[in-house]
Amino acid sequence: QVQLVESGGGLVQPGGSLRLSCEVSGSINSFNSMGWYRRAPGEERELVATITNAGKTNYADSVKGRFTISRDNAKNTVYLQMNSLKPEDTAVYYCNAAVTTYYNSRPYFRNFWGQGTQVTVSS
């Protein structure tokens, strides 16, 4: 069973910083990509950032220039460095692992999720 464990969430004032961590059982290189998603109260889940096994990153427009996703393959851990935090960043943040597997020569897309960690930005 693949398990993803997030940590690093908490309460921070606007303009502050937090670093989220996602420790994955097994090798993160087994996945095509890792990512962070978030769900704000009353809102649908949205993509925050992703990083492929080749190191390509992608960010939501709302966090570009403020958030940085990175990975440490030796530690099987993915990070999300969040700077210049805004109240709009308040949400539960979820770690995601995505992989394509094959069954009878057909591709299937699989996603694994962590339990989530709360980030609250408030003065």
Side-chain angles (χ1 to χ4, degrees):
Q1 180 183 7
V2 176
Q3 291 186 311
L4 294 75
V5 181
E6 302 102 329
S7 62
L11 175 64
V12 65
Q13 294 188 168
S17 298
L18 285 174
R19 188 180 74 162
L20 305 183
S21 299
C22 173
E23 188 171 346
V24 182
S25 61
S27 175
I28 61 174
N29 280 332
S30 298
F31 303 99
N32 298 108
S33 68
M34 301 292 300
W36 289 94
Y37 292 72
R38 67 186 182 187
R39 176 178 281 131
E43 303 292 334
E44 64 184 39
R45 185 176 62 195
E46 66 174 349
L47 182 148
V48 177
T50 60
I51 183 168
T52 70
N53 55 12
K56 182 180 179 181
T57 58
N58 183 54
Y59 298 92
D61 289 340
S62 60
V63 306
K64 286 182 178 178
R66 299 188 298 120
F67 291 11
T68 302
I69 187 171
S70 62
R71 60 195 294 162
D72 187 331
N73 293 337
K75 296 181 178 180
N76 293 317
T77 301
V78 178
Y79 304 96
L80 184 68
Q81 179 66 47
M82 305 184 294
N83 299 325
S84 302
L85 283 162
K86 304 175 180 179
E88 308 92 90
D89 296 317
T90 295
V92 177
Y93 285 70
Y94 298 91
C95 184
N96 168 264
V99 65
T100 302
T101 58
Y102 295 87
Y103 182 74
N104 290 336
S105 301
R106 295 186 176 184
Y108 292 88
F109 302 98
R110 302 178 66 191
N111 285 279
F112 302 91
W113 298 92
Q115 82 287 350
T117 184
Q118 177 71 48
V119 172
T120 302
V121 185
S122 177
S123 59

